Amino acid sequence: MIRVLVVDDEILARVGIQSILENCGDIRVAGAFGLAGDALDFLKTNIVDIVITDIEMPYMSGLEFIRKIREQHLAEGIIILSCYDKFEYAKEAISLGTDGYLLKNSINQETIEKEIHRVYEMISQREARRRPENDGGPQPDQGGIKAVAIFQMPENGKQQMAAKLVNDIVAHYRMGYLIESVHGRSPFVIFEFPEEADQEARRELLEGYTEAILKNIFQYTNEMPYLAVSREFQELQGIPKGYEEAEDAAQMRFYKKDTQVFYAKDIRWSQERPGVLFDKKEFTGPEGIGAFERQLRSYLDQCRRERIRPKTVKEILTQSVSIFIYSVLREYFTDREIVWWNNRYPAVDTVISAKSADGLLEGLTKMMAGLRRELAEKLDRDGFFDVLDYIDKHCSARITLKELAEFKNMSVSLFIKKFKARTNMAPVQYINQKKIELVKEYLKEGTHTLGEIAELTGFSNENYMVRVFRKTTGKTITDYRKERVIGEAGNTAAKEESG
C-alpha cells in the first residue's frame, strides 16, 4: 500500500485528486489539507510515503513546506503540483529534493497513478541502497536502555498488515527495530532510547512511540490495536525476558478491553486461586439464569479487583462450571445422556475462547440460559420434571408410590415403569438416594441421634435407615463418621503446617 498526502489550498483541486486516488487499489490517501502548516503537523505523527503538494499556498509556501519535510525527514517522496506559467517554482522545488511533478491542467487517473508508482519505485530503491548490507539486517545496539513491545490487532487477519506498518513506523521515527516472528513468537518491537535520556525523557519518548504506532495503524486499517510494553533493560540478553514481561502484561486486556497500552511495570498479578460455587437450587428454581449470572459476575469482579491472571480464572471456571452442569444434569439423565448435553453446550470451549471478562460473562450466561431453557422444555415434555421437583421438596417426608402415581394420574405399575425409563432408577431407589443425602447433612452437624435423624429424613425407623445408608453408600454410618473425623483432622493439620 502506498500512503499519499494531498496538500493544496484550492479545494476543487484537492478534492479532485483525492477522488481520483480513491479508485486506485494500492494507493491510500492518508489525508488532505488546504494549509501546509496543518499538513506538517499531521506528518509529525503519521506515516506517509509520498506528499503531493501545490507550491503557491498562503501562510506557508509549498517551497518552505518541502524544505521542512526534508529537514525533519517527515516523508520520503514528494511530488509537486505545477502550472505552465509557474515552472520556475517547479525548478526551485526540484532543487530542494522533490521526486516528481504533475501539471494541474493535465491530471487524470492514468497520469497521477503512473507518477505515484514511479516515485514510489524510486524511493524504494533509495531506501534499499541506504539499508545496511548484512544478512541479519539492522540489529539492536549492545548498549543503551531498551524495552520490548508486542502488538496485537483485534482481528488476527490484519496482524500481518499491521506488522508491515509497524516496521515502517519504527524505522520512520527511529524508535528501534521490529523483530520478525522467531521461535513461534509474534513479531515485536525493541524500543531503543538515547543513552543521555533520563527516566522522565524515556517515559515521554515511550508515550510518543506508542501513540505513533496506535495512531498510524488505526489510520490505515481502521482498527485500533493494543500494545504491551516490558520493563526497561540494557543487555541484549534481556530481550527474551522482556518479551515474556510484555506478553504477561498483555493479559490485563482480559479485564480492560478498552485500554490500548499496558505497561509491565504497572501490573502486579496475584498468585491466589479464588474458587466459585454456583447454586444448583437457584439455577433450577424461579430465579434461574439470573442467579447464575449474578454469581458469575460477582466472581469475575472479584478476580478483576484482586488481579487474578486470566489463565487462572479460566482454569478455575472450566472446572467449576463443568462440575456444576454435571450436578444439574445427573438429577435427570444418565452419564451417556450427559455426554450429549456437554457436546451441545460446550462450557469449556466457551470459557477458554473468551477474549475478555465481559465476553466471558456474556457468552457463558447465554450458553447456560440455552441449557436451562432446553432442559426445562425436555423435562416438561417427558412429564416427570414436576415429579422430581416434588420428591426434592418432600423427600424428608414419607412419600408413597401411590401418592406419586396419583400425582401423575397413573397406575402404580405404569408409574414405576415410566419413572425407571426416565431416571434409570426405581422410584424407591431414587427417593432413598435423596434421603441419604439429607442423612449425611445431619451427620455432619453431629447434633442428632440416629433415631432423630431417621425421623427427620422420613425413614420408618433407625434400623431401616442404617440398612439403606449402607446399600446406597457402600459403607456403614460408623465408617462414614470415622472417615469424616480423619479427613477433618488431616485438613486441620495441613492448615496448621502451612500457617
Side-chain angles (χ1 to χ4, degrees):
M1 180 192 299
I2 306 173
R3 295 154 292 196
V4 175
L5 184 71
V6 180
V7 186
D8 195 317
D9 62 316
E10 294 182 14
I11 187 170
L12 292 179
R14 187 169 69 248
V15 172
I17 293 173
Q18 189 172 2
S19 64
I20 289 173
L21 295 180
E22 286 175 353
N23 296 319
C24 304
D26 61 341
I27 298 173
R28 173 76 177 272
V29 178
F33 295 91
L35 296 176
D38 293 339
L40 201 63
D41 291 337
F42 179 84
L43 286 169
K44 290 176 181 178
T45 57
N46 292 272
I47 297 292
V48 170
D49 297 306
I50 298 173
V51 175
I52 300 176
T53 179
D54 191 11
I55 294 179
E56 284 194 318
M57 292 184 291
Y59 305 112
M60 181 190 296
S61 71
L63 298 178
E64 182 62 20
F65 178 47
I66 293 169
R67 186 177 292 108
K68 289 183 180 294
I69 290 174
R70 288 305 186 212
E71 288 174 353
Q72 299 176 38
H73 307 285
L74 298 177
E76 188 64 31
I78 299 175
I79 298 174
I80 59 172
L81 298 174
S82 173
C83 299
Y84 283 118
D85 56 349
K86 299 293 182 181
F87 192 68
E88 289 301 317
Y89 278 135
K91 286 195 296 184
E92 186 175 352
I94 292 171
S95 71
L96 292 173
T98 56
D99 302 289
Y101 70 92
L102 292 167
L103 300 175
K104 279 191 175 183
N105 61 0
S106 64
I107 289 178
N108 55 44
Q109 182 167 339
E110 182 182 356
T111 59
I112 194 170
E113 189 172 1
K114 183 178 179 180
E115 184 67 3
I116 288 173
H117 281 106
R118 185 190 69 79
V119 170
Y120 186 73
E121 179 65 25
M122 181 191 303
I123 63 177
S124 297
Q125 292 175 2
R126 197 157 64 212
E127 287 178 341
R129 287 194 297 270
R130 286 201 297 260
R131 194 172 297 128
E133 295 294 335
N134 59 66
D135 294 335
Q139 297 293 322
D141 293 337
Q142 291 289 338
I145 304 296
K146 304 173 182 64
V148 168
I150 62 175
F151 55 93
Q152 185 67 48
M153 298 296 292
E155 297 181 17
N156 287 330
K158 293 187 177 181
Q159 187 71 4
Q160 188 174 3
M161 178 193 299
K164 293 178 180 178
L165 285 170
V166 170
N167 188 46
D168 292 345
I169 295 164
V170 169
H172 181 82
Y173 292 104
R174 295 173 174 80
M175 299 176 181
Y177 299 95
L178 175 74
I179 304 298
E180 298 294 341
S181 178
V182 290
H183 305 304
R185 291 174 170 171
S186 301
F188 60 95
V189 177
I190 300 177
F191 289 135
E192 293 188 329
F193 306 100
E195 293 187 8
E196 66 275 10
D198 59 19
Q199 187 173 5
E200 181 62 22
R202 295 197 302 272
R203 183 189 65 79
E204 291 181 0
L205 276 172
L206 182 58
E207 289 178 355
Y209 290 166
T210 56
E211 181 183 359
I213 289 175
L214 294 173
K215 189 173 182 180
N216 279 279
I217 290 181
F218 181 76
Q219 170 76 22
Y220 293 106
T221 67
N222 204 33
E223 295 282 353
M224 182 60 78
Y226 69 88
L227 297 170
V229 185
S230 74
R231 293 176 178 85
E232 295 178 345
F233 58 91
Q234 285 186 297
E235 303 298 329
L236 291 180
Q237 290 84 347
I239 292 176
K241 182 181 178 182
Y243 183 93
E244 291 175 2
E245 287 180 352
E247 198 171 42
D248 197 46
Q251 292 186 59
M252 185 55 73
R253 185 168 170 80
F254 180 78
Y255 295 117
K256 298 182 177 181
K257 63 178 182 179
D258 295 326
T259 299
Q260 267 64 59
V261 186
F262 303 93
Y263 298 100
K265 64 181 179 61
D266 298 333
I267 299 173
R268 298 290 185 276
W269 294 111
S270 170
Q271 300 303 314
E272 298 297 321
R273 295 180 63 87
V276 56
L277 290 175
F278 298 101
D279 194 303
K280 181 173 66 176
K281 287 186 178 180
E282 288 188 351
F283 180 73
T284 56
E287 288 195 70
I289 195 62
F292 178 87
E293 183 179 13
R294 283 197 306 276
Q295 291 164 355
L296 179 57
R297 185 188 299 277
S298 176
Y299 177 69
L300 291 174
D301 286 344
Q302 176 191 354
C303 293
R304 181 186 286 109
R305 289 193 305 272
E306 297 178 7
R307 294 200 169 188
I308 308 300
R309 293 178 187 275
K311 181 180 179 182
T312 302
V313 174
K314 291 182 177 183
E315 287 174 354
I316 294 169
L317 272 178
T318 52
Q319 183 177 14
S320 298
V321 174
S322 296
I323 292 173
F324 174 68
I325 291 175
Y326 180 78
S327 70
V328 171
L329 296 176
R330 69 187 288 270
E331 298 286 338
Y332 315 107
F333 303 102
T334 65
D335 285 346
R336 180 176 295 180
E337 289 173 316
I338 290 173
V339 170
W340 179 88
W341 283 93
N342 286 334
N343 289 333
R344 185 165 176 79
Y345 295 96
V348 173
D349 292 345
T350 303
V351 172
I352 296 299
S353 63
K355 297 277 194 301
S356 68
D358 291 343
L360 194 156
L361 176 66
E362 181 182 354
L364 192 55
T365 301
K366 182 178 180 181
M367 190 212 75
M368 292 300 293
L371 183 148
R372 184 181 184 277
R373 184 169 53 253
E374 187 169 0
L375 174 63
E377 291 172 355
K378 186 172 181 61
L379 293 177
D380 187 54
R381 286 196 304 271
D382 289 349
F384 272 81
F385 177 73
D386 51 355
V387 173
L388 300 179
D389 187 55
Y390 182 85
I391 293 173
D392 282 346
K393 291 177 179 177
H394 299 87
C395 68
S396 60
R398 291 172 184 169
I399 305 172
T400 66
L401 288 177
K402 182 180 179 182
E403 177 185 350
L404 293 175
E406 289 177 350
F407 185 76
K408 295 302 294 180
N409 294 317
M410 297 179 185
S411 66
V412 172
S413 59
L414 180 60
F415 176 82
I416 293 173
K417 181 179 180 181
K418 285 186 174 292
F419 189 95
K420 192 169 184 179
R422 177 66 190 80
T423 65
N424 206 30
M425 283 188 282
V428 172
Q429 182 185 2
Y430 183 88
I431 293 169
N432 283 340
Q433 191 177 76
K434 290 291 181 179
K435 288 179 179 292
I436 294 304
E437 289 178 7
L438 283 177
V439 171
K440 288 180 179 179
E441 293 299 319
Y442 283 118
L443 289 173
K444 289 178 185 177
E445 293 177 8
T447 57
H448 299 282
T449 66
L450 292 183
E452 290 172 338
I453 294 175
E455 181 67 25
L456 289 168
T457 54
F459 283 101
S460 58
N461 58 65
E462 178 183 331
N463 289 333
Y464 181 55
M465 180 188 73
V466 171
R467 291 198 305 273
V468 172
F469 189 95
R470 183 167 188 172
K471 184 177 181 179
T472 302
T473 65
K475 63 188 71 172
T476 65
I477 289 179
T478 301
D479 290 339
Y480 177 77
R481 279 174 163 167
K482 286 180 180 179
E483 288 180 4
R484 277 190 49 76
V485 171
I486 294 171
E488 290 175 357
N491 290 335
T492 301
K495 289 181 180 178
E496 290 176 353
E497 185 177 345
S498 63

